[in-house]
């Protein structure tokens, strides 16, 4: 009997899954395998919110496979060692997996090829599984990647994405392949209380609801903090419970300005991946150095702690940081505001903020998280690296009546309308009624410090 292994990584679904389809087409039986990789644990990447969401995803993936006659095999350990064990146990001839871009993923694939070559097993990596367009498919003349989004996007739109594949009708798994028990969200401590449900069924339901009732207004409302008018699909795209190729196809079929704006965000996601694929060190080093001499974390400790706790004295920043802690997710405009505030107004190293986001975000993704932090800090691909977002101006623009602030900073609920964005303007007597801190820094002082540090004055 010809056996193939399908190694699931960031593609936890049965719909539109090229590695699974290819394995089924070329074998008599497949081993759907997920390895709880100790290397990811050791790196501190499997934090509670992602671990809980992952548990949901694996249980749902197992259920989807069982409805088709199969099951998910879960192992725990070094990914290469565990895959090699399964290959040896089943005499598998090939391992199919999704290609990915991080330095860790690339090393994993290289190690797999080396280890499995010695036992006569082929490794087949499939493109356009975790992205719409493979990282190396769109490159400028004479260079290995695009450093600016707009020309990348023009080329990206000219690509012809592969067709969306259906879920298989039947999956046959060889007898006797042992598995660890499936993890359970209930066993994970420290999970954000508002964390969304994970899994392909939940993800596909979110996608369907978004296409039905949200996408049409996306172009006009994607920055509306209180309106919560974004897709909330980022966790599903991160874990691969929703296919980015399918999302793009279905959005384009819906049509309209909102769909175009949404597909543009999928292009941004691919853009960051092609940057990271070409420059893996950008996960921790400046993509374009500005020779910053960031404030030492020790001297900035109080400011950093206030930022993490949502107690900076700037209500819209604090609201976004509290949403992050409660939901393990943050509105896209909130991410820009909070990152700009830390890196530019407080002049704290972007890596400090990026690490905190990765500690809490259920969609904590090395490519998107690190490259977006670098974009905001001015060390990445932004063509205006010295822009500073004013939290008062931004709050008034994107939360004009203060509903988002009052939702997440309830101690200010008594302030009506846009006044909630500037509580320091209350009289001393009025302020005494609110348990809310003074600003950790005057905006003018923070701006002056940043400009001096960057040599702009």
């Amino acid at each position: 009997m010809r056996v193939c292994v399908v190694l699931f990584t960031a593609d936890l679904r049965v719909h539109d899954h090229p590695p699974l389809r290819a394995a089924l087409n070329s074998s008599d039986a497949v081993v759907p395998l997920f390895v709880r990789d100790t290397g990811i644990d050791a790196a501190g990447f499997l934090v509670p919110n992602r671990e809980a969401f992952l548990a949901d995803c694996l249980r749902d993936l197992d259920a989807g496979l069982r409805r088709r006659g199969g099951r998910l095999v879960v192992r725990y350990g070094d990914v290469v060692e565990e895959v090699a064990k399964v290959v040896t146990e089943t005499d598998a001839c090939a391992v199919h997996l999704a290609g990915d871009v991080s330095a860790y993923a690339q090393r994993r694939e290289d190690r797999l090829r080396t280890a499995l070559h010695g036992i006569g097993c082929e490794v087949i990596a499939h493109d356009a599984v975790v992205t719409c367009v493979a990282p190396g498919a769109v490159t400028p003349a004479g260079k290995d990647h695009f450093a600016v989004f707009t020309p990348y996007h023009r080329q990206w739109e000219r690509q012809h994405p592969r067709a969306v594949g259906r879920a298989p009708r039947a999956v046959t798994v060889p007898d006797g392949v042992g598995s660890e028990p499936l993890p359970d969200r209930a066993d994970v401590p420290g999970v954000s209380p508002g964390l969304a449900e994970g899994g392909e069924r939940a993800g596909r339901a979110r996608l369907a609801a978004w296409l039905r009732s949200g996408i049409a207004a996306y172009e006009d409302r994607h920055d509306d903090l209180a309106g919560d008018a974004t897709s909330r699909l980022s966790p599903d795209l991160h874990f691969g419970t929703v296919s980015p190729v399918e999302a793009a196809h279905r959005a384009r079929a819906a049509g309209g300005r909102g769909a175009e704006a949404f597909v543009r965000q999928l292009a941004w996601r691919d853009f960051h991946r092609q940057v990271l694929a070409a420059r893996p060190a950008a996960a921790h080093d400046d993509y374009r150095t500005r020779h910053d001499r960031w404030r030492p974390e020790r001297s900035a400790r109080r400011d950093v702690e206030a930022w993490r706790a949502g107690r900076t004295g700037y209500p819209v920043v604090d609201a976004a940081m509290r949403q992050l802690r409660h939901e393990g997710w943050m509105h896209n405009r909130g991410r820009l505001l909070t990152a700009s505030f830390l890196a530019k107004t407080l002049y704290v190293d972007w890596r400090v903020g990026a690490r905190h986001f990765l500690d809490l975000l259920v969609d904590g993704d090395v490519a998107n998280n690190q490259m977006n932090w670098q974009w905001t800090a001015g060390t990445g691909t932004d063509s205006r690296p010295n822009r500073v977002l004013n939290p008062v101006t931004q709050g008034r623009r994107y939360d004009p009546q203060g509903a988002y602030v009052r939702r997440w900073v309830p101690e200010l609920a008594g302030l009506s309308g846009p006044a909630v964005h500037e509580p320091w303007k209350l009289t001393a007597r009025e302020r005494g009624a609110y348990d809310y801190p003074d600003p950790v820094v005057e905006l003018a002082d923070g701006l002056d410090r940043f400009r001096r540090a960057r040599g702009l004055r």
Side-chain angles (χ1 to χ4, degrees):
M1 183 170 64
R2 182 179 171 88
V3 176
C4 288
V5 174
V6 180
L7 178 61
F8 287 86
T9 53
D11 49 351
L12 304 179
R13 62 183 186 267
V14 295
H15 290 82
D16 190 43
H17 197 284
L20 179 59
R21 175 60 63 187
L24 289 169
N25 287 344
S26 62
S27 65
D28 302 304
V30 301
V31 181
L33 173 67
F34 182 85
V35 179
R36 297 280 305 272
D37 189 356
T38 50
I40 291 177
D41 292 4
F45 194 73
L46 193 64
V47 297
N49 286 338
R50 290 195 293 281
E51 185 176 2
F53 198 90
L54 173 63
D56 291 348
C57 294
L58 295 179
R59 284 182 168 270
D60 191 65
L61 177 58
D62 180 66
L65 291 166
R66 287 182 183 277
R67 286 194 293 273
R68 294 161 174 84
R71 62 187 173 94
L72 181 65
V73 173
V74 176
R75 297 288 178 93
Y76 184 83
D78 176 81
V79 64
V80 174
E81 292 177 5
E82 294 304 317
V83 172
K85 288 178 185 177
V86 172
V87 167
T88 301
E89 291 168 16
T90 61
D91 197 24
C93 60
V95 172
H96 293 261
L97 77 162
D100 208 343
V101 302
S102 71
Y104 185 86
Q106 291 179 48
R107 287 195 302 271
R108 177 182 62 201
E109 185 178 324
D110 289 343
R111 290 176 60 222
L112 270 173
R113 290 186 187 281
T114 299
L116 299 187
H117 176 75
I119 53 177
C121 181
E122 185 181 11
V123 174
I124 304 170
H126 296 259
D127 289 333
V129 179
V130 300
T131 58
C132 293
V133 174
V138 179
T139 55
K143 296 182 179 179
D144 60 357
H145 75 291
F146 279 94
V148 179
F149 175 72
T150 300
Y152 172 81
H153 184 230
R154 283 196 294 265
Q155 293 294 325
W156 186 91
E157 286 197 308
R158 294 173 186 160
Q159 302 302 303
H160 298 287
R162 61 172 178 78
V164 176
R166 294 183 178 180
R169 292 186 177 181
V171 176
T172 301
V173 178
D175 294 333
V177 184
S179 175
E180 298 284 339
L182 291 167
D184 193 318
R185 172 193 284 236
D187 296 330
V188 182
V191 176
S192 291
L195 185 71
E197 178 187 1
E200 184 175 13
R201 283 180 298 177
R204 292 183 70 80
R206 277 188 284 269
L207 176 61
W210 167 245
L211 293 169
R212 182 173 59 249
S213 59
I215 197 169
Y218 181 69
E219 170 68 2
D220 298 321
R221 299 191 59 208
H222 67 276
D223 280 320
D224 179 358
L225 285 162
D228 195 15
T230 63
S231 72
R232 285 188 175 255
L233 289 170
S234 54
D236 301 301
L237 292 167
H238 173 65
F239 283 93
T241 56
V242 165
S243 158
V245 172
E246 182 179 0
H249 274 293
R250 293 178 66 177
R252 283 170 168 152
R257 292 172 61 246
E260 291 174 4
F262 173 69
V263 172
R264 183 181 175 90
Q265 292 305 309
L266 295 175
W268 266 108
R269 185 173 178 272
D270 283 6
F271 171 74
H272 286 148
R273 277 163 172 72
Q274 60 95 40
V275 172
L276 193 63
R279 299 289 183 273
H284 46 78
D285 294 336
D286 288 347
Y287 178 74
R288 289 176 174 148
T289 184
R290 306 297 172 188
H291 304 289
D292 287 293
R293 289 177 292 180
W294 305 105
R295 295 169 65 200
E297 195 166 354
R298 174 179 291 184
S299 62
R301 180 178 55 83
R302 289 185 179 179
D303 288 350
V304 172
E305 288 177 354
W307 178 81
R308 287 174 177 153
R311 297 282 290 176
T312 67
Y314 289 97
V316 73
V317 171
D318 295 341
M321 294 303 294
R322 296 185 194 188
Q323 180 183 28
L324 171 62
R325 188 165 294 280
H326 182 80
E327 294 188 351
W329 184 88
M330 189 193 294
H331 191 284
N332 65 288
R333 176 54 53 173
R335 298 188 198 208
L336 288 172
L337 288 172
T338 54
S340 175
F341 189 81
L342 183 76
K344 289 178 172 172
T345 302
L346 296 180
Y347 200 57
V348 171
D349 194 329
W350 63 267
R351 282 158 281 241
V352 174
R355 180 67 256 176
H356 181 71
F357 271 31
L358 285 178
D359 285 344
L360 290 173
L361 282 173
V362 64
D363 59 21
D365 180 297
V366 170
N368 270 355
N369 187 67
Q370 309 303 85
M371 296 314 303
N372 273 320
W373 265 95
Q374 291 226 47
W375 189 93
T376 310
T379 62
T381 62
D382 188 6
S383 59
R384 294 172 54 196
N386 297 316
R387 81 174 88 199
V388 178
L389 300 181
N390 182 309
V392 177
T393 302
Q394 294 274 308
R396 287 180 173 273
R397 180 177 300 163
Y398 299 116
D399 186 30
Q401 296 306 311
Y404 178 76
V405 166
R406 282 187 288 276
R407 181 184 310 160
W408 295 109
V409 189
E411 58 266 43
L412 297 179
L415 288 173
S416 60
V420 76
H421 293 297
E422 298 177 284
W424 55 86
K425 288 188 174 180
L426 298 173
T427 65
R429 182 177 179 180
E430 290 171 328
R431 292 195 69 183
Y434 299 97
D435 177 24
Y436 188 71
D438 292 331
V440 294
V441 64
E442 293 291 336
L443 294 180
D445 293 341
L447 181 61
D448 182 68
R449 174 173 55 198
F450 172 72
R451 287 179 173 171
R452 289 181 184 278
R454 286 273 171 99
L456 302 175
R457 58 167 62 164

